[in-house]
């Protein structure tokens, strides 16, 4: 007995020792699993092998649960602890795959018993491991029904636990059973708990655990208004993954999108957008936005449809196919009766109309944004932005109907269609007239100045919408929509009468004044006559007396500009000019700011050219026609009150002589008062046959003033881009500006040299001056001083070339070439010997500046040769005092006279080498002897007539190489490119 007792004791001791060792081995594996998830796969095999090799008497399950006891003692969810929980669940699930193995059931019963413990840490950890096992357990796992029932009842009890984290994991553990239709009580428990749950994590877990059904969809959609962001995000996640769009009603779809797309949380909004794009658009609608809109009933829920399309356009999910366009709804048809081609209209569905409306608006906004970005940047970035804006505009042009008439036909064809609601068809329905009203009532855009807080109007401040093209488009659309006789005038005058009410009562701000004047200008530009405005909402006389004339006297400059412009349009519609209109225009021109004077000058020129200067003067009580340039006219036209003391042309001419225009002279680009006046008089000179009152004796005075204005120091600077501080800009624009300036200069020169009229007794023969290449204007100009002759102009331009300090830049080179092209077109009279000699001296230095245009160089040489033939004493040079005297008359005192006086007018051309002793030197009496050639021309050896020997050819080749090197090393300012020393060395 003693031996058997000692044997049993030894066996028990051995069993305890074995269980202790087994627990230690289990503990080591569990400790290693806490460090990383990467070792879980290997440790699962190691733990499974340990269980398989352990003796049955050791009771592996008991050792397993005993080793896990420290895990149940902590509530802290550290990463290492979470990794250990995951491994425990994985091992339990992996052991369930063994046939007839009861480890999983035993372990679950242990966990269910622990979940009812009084310790909250034990309850929490037990429910967590149970939920993790249920999430990973395969569907074909062999578990008894009794165990499942026990688990469901236990977890249902834990949902009522006072610890939120325990409730959350209990819900997670029951989520798998909620899918089964037999467990309807679980779903009801979830819905009941969701409505009363106060903890965020539990509500989130309940939402994620809800199965898809008609009842649960209501609870989940309700959670889209949950106070917590994570719960709302979970609701949209469940709706995207468990509820296809077909399972929801139209009301539910719109509510979901209406709430999610405007949610205050970016994360929730992003989740809703993901639901709309990935789940509904791509999976349910195959990426077709119009199909998605059909699920939303945009006729009833228009705002939701607009929000959906806007979001899809912003995210780039709505693409225009190559064959998609609004023009597809204009189906070509054949009119049998008339035998002409026409078009029939295919009616759009509401979803299609909404889609095209938003797409067109999006493309327009994108083009404007890219255009502003291109204007605000430079270089390659600006080019890229401009290209993107151009692409948007081209796509918009391809989508829209080709003409406004087609557009209006499309609108009218939908007016009778019952299926359209006004909100859906802003562009393409019966609201076309309302759309025109909306455009006419739209106020001018403005912004607040950050410095002084004042309102600043965006755009030109004159036309509707701040842009002339936009105003023309609105007017054209309005005329097509209101095509009946007098209907357009009736509609627009009604709008003007409404907008003018606060202006008449004098309680309107300047923005309201400008808006009313913009609509008035649209009417006056498109009205056939003032008779068409009679009997409308506001009569022409009422419009003039109560709106236009008071606005012209408004304190705000922009209001004055718009009013003066409308007064000019009003005068063009009249049969005869009105006195009050002309007096106000004259007063605005004389006394107004420069920006107002510019518009007034345009209006006065338009009225003078439309009605005639005589009619305009008669309207203000002037029957006599004063001569321009007289002392009386100069005094009277300078009156500050704008009273009609001088004729219209005299008043405008006096503006060219004024030098007191204020500094605010830029408007609409580089437009100035002087520029507008010069343009107007130039037009009248070109069309002088149509204005008999413009006497031919006035032509020289006007032309002289225009030429002086164009070539004055104040106006020449902005004429050439890239010079004198004027910015360059885009190369294409710069090239166009330079070419335009050159053409204008040559045109003005042609006008100066061509006779505009014949003097009495002129027989058409050329004067003696013409034979000598002098003046050909048909006038005897010998009495004029040099500063009023072509010789003086040529010297001024030559000095400008020599004084240019930016010769090496592209802008400087082009500027010099343009001046030289004008210089060679000017004529010199033989009687002006001193000016002729001075010009020869200047040409001697000018040639060295021309290195890039052989034609200009040739013309300068030809001019120098011609001047030499006219020089009566070529060997006589001008002294420094004579040069100073001539330059002083031309107001060129700052030019370096000493350097010019030292220059040799008779300097021969670059000397050529003597190739052989038999060849004589080049004749020094060549016509080019006084024009030094530039380096790239003078260094070349002329070809010899005689046959050269091989030795001569080699010498010639070496000379060309030597000359090229010398030419590259010589500066541009030198007139001599080959020194005598180099020539002598070549000869030797």
């Amino acid at each position: 007995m003693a031996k058997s007792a000692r044997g049993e004791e030894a066996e028990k001791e051995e069993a305890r020792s074995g269980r202790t060792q087994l627990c230690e081995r289990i503990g080591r594996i569990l400790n290693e699993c806490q460090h990383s998830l990467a070792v879980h796969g290997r440790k699962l095999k190691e733990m499974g092998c340990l269980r398989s090799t352990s003796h049955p008497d050791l009771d592996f399950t008991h050792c397993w649960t005993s080793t896990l006891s420290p895990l149940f003692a902590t509530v802290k969810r550290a990463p290492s602890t979470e990794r250990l929980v995951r491994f425990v669940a994985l091992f339990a699930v992996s052991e369930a795959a063994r046939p007839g193995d009861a480890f999983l059931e035993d372990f679950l019963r242990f966990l269910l018993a622990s979940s009812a413990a009084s310790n909250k840490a034990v309850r929490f950890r037990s429910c967590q491991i149970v939920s993790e096992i249920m999430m990973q357990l395969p569907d074909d796992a062999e578990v008894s029904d009794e165990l499942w029932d026990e688990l469901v009842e236990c977890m249902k009890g834990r949902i009522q636990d006072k610890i939120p984290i325990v409730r959350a994991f209990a819900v997670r553990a029951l989520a798998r059973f909620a899918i089964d239709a037999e467990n309807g009580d679980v779903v009801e428990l979830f819905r009941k708990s969701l409505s009363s749950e106060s903890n965020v994590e539990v509500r989130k877990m309940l939402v994620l655990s809800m199965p898809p059904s008609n009842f649960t969809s209501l609870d989940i959609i309700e959670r889209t208004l949950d106070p917590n962001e994570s719960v709302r995000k979970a609701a949209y996640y469940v709706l995207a993954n468990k509820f296809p769009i077909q399972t929801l009603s139209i009301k539910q779809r719109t509510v979901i999108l209406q709430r999610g797309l405007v949610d205050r949380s970016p994360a929730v909004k992003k989740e809703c957008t993901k639901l709309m794009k990935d789940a509904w658009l791509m999976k349910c609608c195959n990426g077709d936005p119009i199909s998605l809109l059909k699920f939303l009933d945009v006729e009833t829920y228009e705002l939701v449809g607009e929000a959906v399309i806007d979001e899809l356009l912003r995210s780039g999910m709505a693409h225009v196919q190559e064959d998609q366009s609004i023009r597809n709804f204009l189906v070509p048809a054949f009119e049998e009766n008339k035998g002409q081609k026409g078009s029939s209209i295919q009616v759009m569905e509401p979803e299609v109309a909404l889609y095209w409306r938003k797409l067109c608006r999006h493309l327009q906004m994108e083009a404007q944004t890219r255009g502003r970005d291109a204007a605000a940047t430079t270089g390659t970035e600006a080019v890229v932005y401009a290209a993107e804006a151009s692409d948007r505009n081209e796509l918009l042009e391809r989508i829209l109907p080709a003409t406004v008439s087609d557009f209006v036909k499309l609108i009218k064809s939908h007016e009778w269609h019952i299926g359209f609601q006004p909100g859906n068809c802003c562009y393409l329905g019966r609201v076309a007239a309302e759309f025109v009203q909306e455009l006419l009532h739209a106020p001018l855009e403005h912004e607040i100045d950050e410095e002084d807080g004042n309102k600043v109007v965006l755009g030109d401040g004159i036309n509707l919408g701040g842009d002339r093209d936009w105003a023309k488009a609105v007017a054209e659309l309005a005329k097509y929509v209101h095509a009946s006789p007098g209907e357009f005038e009736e509609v627009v005058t009604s709008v003007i009468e409404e907008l003018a009410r606060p202006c008449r009562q004098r309680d309107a701000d300047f923005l309201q004044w400008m808006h009313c004047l913009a609509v008035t200008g649209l009417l006056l530009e498109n009205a056939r006559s003032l008779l068409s405005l009679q009997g409308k909402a506001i009569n022409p006389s009422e419009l003039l007396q109560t709106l236009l004339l008071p606005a012209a006297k408004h304190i705000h400059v922009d209001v004055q500009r718009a009013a003066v412009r409308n007064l000019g349009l009003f005068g063009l519609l009249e049969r005869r000019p009105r006195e009050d209109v002309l007096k106000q225009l004259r007063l605005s021109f004389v006394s107004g700011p420069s920006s107002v004077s510019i518009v007034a000058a345009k209006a006065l020129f338009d009225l003078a050219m439309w009605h005639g200067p005589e009619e305009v003067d008669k309207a203000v009580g002037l029957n006599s026609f004063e001569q321009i340039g007289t002392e009386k006219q100069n005094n009277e036209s300078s009156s500050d009150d704008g009273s009609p003391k001088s004729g219209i042309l005299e008043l405008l001419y006096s503006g060219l002589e004024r030098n007191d225009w204020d500094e605010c002279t830029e408007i609409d680009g580089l437009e100035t008062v002087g520029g507008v006046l010069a343009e107007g008089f130039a037009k009248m000179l070109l069309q002088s046959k149509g204005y008999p009152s413009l006497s031919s004796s006035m032509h020289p005075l006007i032309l002289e003033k225009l030429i002086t204005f164009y070539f004055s120091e104040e106006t020449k600077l902005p004429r050439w881009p890239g010079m004198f501080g004027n910015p360059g800009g885009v190369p294409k624009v710069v090239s166009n500006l330079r070419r335009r300036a050159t053409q204008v200069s040559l045109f003005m020169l042609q006008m100066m040299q061509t006779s505009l009229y014949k003097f009495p007794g002129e027989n058409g023969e050329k004067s003696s001056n013409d034979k000598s290449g002098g003046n050909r204007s048909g006038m005897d100009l010998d009495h004029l001083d040099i500063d009023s002759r072509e010789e003086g102009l040529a010297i001024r331009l030559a000095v400008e070339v020599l004084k240019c300090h930016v010769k090496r830049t592209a802008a400087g080179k082009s500027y010099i070439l343009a001046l030289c092209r004008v210089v060679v077109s000017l004529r010199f009279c033989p009687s002006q010997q001193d000016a002729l000699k001075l010009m020869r001296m200047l040409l001697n230095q000018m040639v060295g500046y021309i290195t890039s245009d052989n034609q200009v160089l040739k013309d300068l040489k030809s001019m120098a040769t011609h001047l030499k033939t006219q020089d009566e004493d070529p060997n006589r040079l001008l002294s420094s005092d004579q040069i100073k005297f001539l330059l002083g008359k031309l107001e060129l005192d700052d030019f370096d006279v000493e350097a010019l006086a030292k220059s040799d007018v008779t300097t021969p051309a670059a000397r050529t080498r003597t190739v052989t002793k038999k060849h004589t030197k080049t004749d020094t009496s060549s016509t080019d002897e006084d024009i030094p050639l530039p380096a790239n021309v003078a260094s070349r050896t002329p070809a010899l007539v005689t046959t050269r020997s091989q030795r001569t050819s080699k010498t010639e080749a070496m000379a060309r190489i030597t000359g090229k090197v010398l030419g590259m090393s010589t500066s541009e300012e030198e007139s001599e490119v080959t020194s005598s020393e180099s020539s002598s060395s070549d000869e030797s």
Side-chain angles (χ1 to χ4, degrees):
M1 292 292 296
K3 289 184 177 179
S4 61
R6 285 195 296 271
E8 291 177 0
E9 189 66 27
E11 290 177 359
K12 291 180 181 180
E13 185 64 28
E14 184 179 357
R16 284 195 296 269
S17 176
R19 285 194 293 270
T20 302
Q21 293 178 0
L22 180 59
C23 291
E24 291 177 355
R25 295 178 64 182
I26 293 174
R28 285 196 297 270
I29 295 175
L30 294 177
N31 288 335
E32 293 175 359
C33 292
Q34 297 183 72
H35 302 309
S36 174
L37 294 175
V39 301
H40 282 192
R42 179 164 50 86
K43 296 303 176 182
L44 279 176
K45 295 180 181 180
E46 187 175 342
M47 186 68 74
C49 181
L50 178 62
R51 179 171 179 263
S52 300
T53 57
S54 63
H55 195 275
D57 295 339
L58 297 180
D59 193 359
F60 181 84
T61 303
H62 178 72
C63 294
W64 169 261
T65 55
S66 300
T67 308
L68 290 176
S69 58
L71 180 62
F72 291 82
T74 177
V75 184
K76 186 178 180 181
R77 302 186 62 182
S80 59
T81 306
E82 295 300 313
R83 287 191 289 267
L84 180 58
V85 169
R86 179 178 177 81
F87 176 78
V88 170
L90 283 174
F91 179 71
V93 171
S94 64
E95 293 300 305
R98 297 183 181 184
D101 199 319
F103 175 79
L104 176 61
E105 293 189 6
D106 295 340
F107 186 49
L108 283 175
R109 286 190 172 91
F110 168 78
L111 294 174
L112 295 177
S114 301
S115 64
S118 60
N119 190 302
K120 63 179 182 180
V122 176
R123 297 199 309 273
F124 154 63
R125 199 63 69 182
S126 300
C127 293
Q128 182 185 18
I129 297 176
V130 170
S131 66
E132 192 68 31
I133 292 175
M134 296 306 299
M135 289 293 105
Q136 301 182 22
L137 190 66
D139 295 335
D140 57 352
E142 296 183 359
V143 181
S144 62
D145 294 338
E146 293 80 5
L147 180 59
W148 284 145
D149 295 338
E150 184 180 352
L151 189 148
V152 169
E153 292 300 326
C154 182
M155 291 297 107
K156 287 169 65 176
R158 289 303 96 206
I159 290 180
Q160 309 300 326
D161 198 284
K162 62 180 181 180
I163 306 300
I165 193 65
V166 175
R167 299 198 299 269
F169 280 114
V171 172
R172 187 168 182 250
L174 288 175
R176 187 165 182 173
F177 299 97
I179 302 175
D180 194 351
E182 297 179 356
N183 297 314
D185 55 341
V186 176
V187 178
E188 290 299 325
L189 179 62
F190 281 179
R191 296 183 62 192
K192 181 180 179 181
S193 301
L194 182 60
S195 61
S196 59
E197 182 57 55
S198 60
N199 185 265
V200 173
E201 292 298 327
V202 180
R203 291 202 307 272
K204 178 180 177 182
M205 191 62 68
L206 285 168
V207 170
L208 293 173
S209 303
M210 284 284 190
S213 68
N214 294 334
F215 300 104
T216 57
S217 63
L218 299 176
D219 299 311
I220 296 174
I221 293 175
E222 185 180 357
R223 287 300 102 192
T224 57
L225 295 177
D226 194 276
N228 187 266
E229 172 186 334
S230 62
V231 178
R232 299 198 304 273
K233 183 178 178 182
Y236 285 105
Y237 174 82
V238 172
L239 290 171
N241 291 274
K242 296 182 180 181
F243 293 87
I245 191 172
Q246 296 87 347
T247 62
L248 300 171
S249 66
I250 295 177
K251 177 65 175 178
Q252 290 174 336
R253 300 165 195 164
T254 55
V255 167
I256 291 170
L257 295 177
Q258 188 175 13
R259 294 174 181 176
L261 293 178
V262 297
D263 196 279
R264 62 181 180 275
S265 171
V268 178
K269 186 176 180 180
K270 182 179 179 181
E271 194 66 36
C272 179
T273 305
K274 184 178 179 182
L275 173 147
M276 179 184 65
K277 294 189 298 184
D278 298 344
W280 291 1
L281 178 64
M282 302 307 298
K283 292 182 180 180
C284 302
C285 302
N286 297 322
D288 185 8
I290 297 178
S291 298
L292 178 59
L293 292 178
K294 291 181 179 179
F295 280 109
L296 302 177
D297 186 15
V298 296
E299 290 184 272
T300 306
Y301 305 100
E302 179 189 359
L303 296 179
V304 178
E306 291 182 352
V308 169
I309 290 297
D310 288 338
E311 186 63 34
L312 293 179
L313 290 172
R314 280 194 296 267
S315 59
M317 298 293 290
H319 303 286
V320 182
Q321 303 298 329
E322 191 68 26
D323 57 343
Q324 288 183 330
S325 173
I326 298 179
R327 301 181 184 182
N328 297 339
F329 296 91
L330 297 168
V331 183
F334 188 78
E335 300 179 2
E336 297 181 359
N337 297 334
K338 299 181 180 180
Q340 299 177 351
K341 289 185 177 180
S343 60
S344 61
I345 307 300
Q346 179 182 351
V347 178
M348 291 184 180
E349 295 179 347
E351 297 80 14
V352 178
L354 177 63
Y355 170 76
W356 285 116
R357 174 166 70 90
K358 300 302 294 184
L359 178 61
C360 292
R361 179 61 176 169
H362 175 76
L363 291 176
Q364 179 192 11
M365 295 301 296
E366 282 285 311
Q368 292 178 353
T369 302
R370 293 294 182 269
R372 287 192 293 266
D373 294 341
T377 56
T378 57
T380 306
E381 188 177 3
V383 174
V384 172
Y385 286 142
E388 292 179 356
S390 178
D391 293 341
R392 293 332 189 259
N393 285 325
E394 290 178 0
L395 180 58
L396 189 59
E397 288 292 332
R398 182 176 67 82
I399 290 174
L400 291 174
T403 62
V404 176
S405 60
D406 291 341
F407 185 76
V408 175
K409 289 179 183 178
L410 195 63
I411 292 175
K412 290 186 176 181
S413 66
H414 290 80
E415 292 182 3
W416 55 268
H417 192 257
I418 300 176
F420 276 88
Q421 298 294 330
N424 290 336
C425 308
C426 185
Y427 275 21
L428 305 172
R430 63 187 180 184
V431 294
E434 296 180 6
F435 179 50
V436 172
Q437 289 285 332
E438 180 182 349
L439 293 177
L440 295 176
H441 283 87
L444 299 178
E445 295 184 359
H446 68 279
E447 60 183 13
I448 305 300
D449 193 341
E450 296 181 356
E451 296 182 358
D452 51 16
N454 294 330
K455 296 179 181 179
V456 180
V457 178
L458 301 180
D460 57 16
I462 292 180
N463 293 285
L464 185 66
D467 182 75
R468 181 172 180 81
D469 294 335
W470 173 257
K472 288 179 60 178
V474 172
E476 189 174 1
L477 177 61
K479 287 189 290 185
Y480 271 106
V481 174
H482 304 285
S484 301
E487 185 181 1
F488 169 76
E489 290 81 1
E490 179 66 33
V491 170
V492 180
T493 52
S494 298
V495 176
I496 295 175
E497 194 277 333
E498 179 183 350
L499 296 176
R501 291 173 190 170
C503 300
R504 293 174 177 177
Q505 298 171 2
R506 300 298 186 266
D507 57 356
D509 61 4
F510 79 97
L511 290 175
Q512 292 175 297
W513 274 98
M514 294 179 67
H515 181 201
C516 182
L517 292 172
V519 180
T520 304
L522 183 142
L523 173 66
L524 296 177
E525 277 189 312
N526 295 275
R528 293 185 297 272
S529 66
L530 292 181
L531 293 177
S532 62
L533 303 181
Q534 294 290 345
K536 298 300 186 291
I538 183 169
N539 293 322
S541 59
E542 184 182 3
L543 179 67
L544 177 66
Q545 299 297 332
T546 63
L547 183 65
L548 299 184
L549 291 178
K553 303 172 184 177
H554 197 275
I555 190 174
H556 201 280
V557 176
D558 290 335
V559 176
Q560 295 181 34
R561 284 179 53 229
V564 169
R565 183 242 188 184
N566 287 340
L567 285 175
L569 296 175
F570 190 92
L572 293 176
L573 293 176
E574 292 180 307
R575 292 184 176 182
R576 291 184 178 86
R578 294 173 58 109
E579 180 180 4
D580 49 0
V581 173
L582 291 173
K583 283 185 177 181
Q584 182 59 52
L585 290 176
R586 293 167 65 98
L587 179 62
S588 299
F589 173 72
V590 174
S591 304
S594 292
S595 58
V596 178
S597 299
I598 289 174
V599 184
K602 290 182 179 180
L604 290 173
F605 266 117
D606 290 341
L607 294 177
M609 298 180 74
W610 181 257
H611 296 289
E614 303 92 339
E615 291 293 330
V616 173
D617 289 340
K618 288 180 181 178
V620 294
L622 294 176
N623 296 322
S624 61
F625 194 76
E626 300 289 345
Q627 291 291 325
I628 291 179
T630 62
E631 181 179 357
K632 177 183 177 183
Q633 174 264 321
N634 290 336
N635 292 335
E636 290 182 347
S637 64
S638 60
S639 176
D640 293 335
D641 59 358
S643 58
K645 296 181 180 180
S646 58
I648 181 67
L649 296 182
E650 290 79 9
L651 178 68
L652 294 172
Y653 183 81
S654 66
L656 289 174
E657 298 181 338
R658 281 184 58 179
N659 297 321
D660 58 343
W661 298 110
D662 57 44
E663 297 180 357
C664 186
T665 57
E666 290 193 3
I667 184 172
D668 295 335
L670 296 176
E671 208 167 28
T672 61
V673 179
V676 170
L677 294 174
E679 179 183 357
F681 279 114
K683 290 179 180 179
M684 298 195 75
L685 286 179
L686 292 175
Q687 303 178 14
S688 57
K689 293 182 179 180
Y691 304 101
S693 59
L694 188 64
S695 174
S696 59
S697 61
M698 298 165 57
H699 293 184
L701 295 174
I702 297 176
L703 185 59
E704 177 188 1
K705 183 62 65 175
L706 296 184
I707 295 174
T708 304
F709 175 77
Y710 181 80
F711 289 103
S712 66
E713 291 293 332
E714 291 77 12
T715 59
K716 76 175 182 180
L717 299 184
R719 301 291 182 183
W720 202 262
M723 295 285 293
F724 310 105
N726 195 39
V730 182
K732 184 177 180 180
V733 176
V734 170
S735 177
N736 292 335
L737 291 175
R738 291 173 180 171
R739 182 171 63 254
R740 188 183 306 167
T742 303
Q743 291 174 350
V744 170
S745 300
L746 296 177
F747 172 71
M748 298 294 289
L749 179 62
Q750 182 182 4
M751 292 182 64
M752 182 176 65
Q753 294 178 339
T754 304
S755 176
L756 297 179
Y757 54 88
K758 293 183 179 180
F759 287 99
E762 186 178 354
N763 55 8
E765 297 180 358
K766 294 183 179 180
S767 64
S768 59
N769 289 342
D770 291 334
K771 296 179 183 180
S772 61
N775 173 64
R776 294 191 294 178
S777 63
M779 299 175 60
D780 185 10
L781 303 179
D782 290 339
H783 65 284
L784 298 178
D785 205 352
I786 186 174
D787 59 343
S788 301
R789 300 173 59 92
E790 291 188 43
E791 292 86 348
L793 178 59
I795 293 174
R796 283 192 176 101
L797 296 179
V799 171
E800 177 69 18
V801 171
L802 299 179
K803 290 171 60 179
C804 184
H805 300 294
V806 286
K807 310 177 186 68
R808 299 183 181 274
T809 63
K813 292 179 181 178
S814 61
Y815 180 61
I816 290 175
L817 289 176
L819 293 177
C820 291
R821 291 190 180 97
V822 179
V823 168
V824 298
S825 300
L826 294 169
R827 270 67 176 182
F828 277 74
C829 183
S831 62
Q832 300 292 325
Q833 286 293 307
D834 290 347
L836 191 146
K837 289 181 179 292
L838 178 59
M839 190 65 196
R840 289 184 60 201
M841 300 173 68
L842 295 172
L843 285 172
N844 184 49
Q845 296 189 8
M846 287 173 61
V847 174
Y849 287 76
I850 309 302
T851 60
S852 59
D853 195 314
N854 292 332
Q855 183 61 42
V856 174
L857 179 64
K858 182 179 178 180
D859 293 340
L860 290 175
K861 292 167 57 180
S862 177
M863 182 179 184
T865 302
H866 180 68
L867 293 181
K868 181 180 179 182
T869 60
Q870 289 187 321
D871 194 346
E872 297 176 356
D873 188 3
N875 296 324
R876 183 178 68 86
L877 302 180
L878 295 178
S879 63
S880 299
D881 294 336
Q882 290 175 314
I883 295 175
K884 290 181 179 179
F885 177 74
L886 290 175
L887 295 180
K889 283 187 174 183
L890 301 175
E891 300 179 356
L892 299 173
D893 300 320
D894 57 340
F895 186 66
D896 188 3
V897 178
E898 299 300 332
L900 184 63
K902 294 179 181 179
S903 63
D904 187 3
V905 179
T906 59
T907 302
R911 291 189 289 270
T912 58
R913 295 174 290 97
T914 302
V915 178
T916 62
K917 294 181 179 180
K918 295 181 180 181
H919 295 142
T920 60
K921 294 183 179 180
T922 306
D923 187 7
T924 59
S925 64
S926 172
T927 59
D928 297 339
E929 64 181 348
D930 58 332
I931 303 297
L933 298 178
N936 59 350
V937 178
S939 61
R940 297 178 182 176
T941 304
L944 301 178
V945 179
T946 58
T947 304
R948 297 180 293 182
S949 62
Q950 182 178 4
R951 176 65 180 173
T952 304
S953 299
K954 292 181 178 179
T955 305
E956 177 70 15
M958 293 299 295
R960 287 178 180 272
I961 298 175
T962 305
K964 183 175 181 180
V965 174
L966 289 173
M968 293 175 60
S969 62
T970 307
S971 61
E972 292 184 20
E973 289 77 13
E974 294 178 348
S975 61
E976 292 288 336
V977 296
T978 308
S979 62
S980 58
E981 291 79 8
S982 62
S983 299
S984 61
S985 63
D986 289 340
E987 293 177 0
S988 61

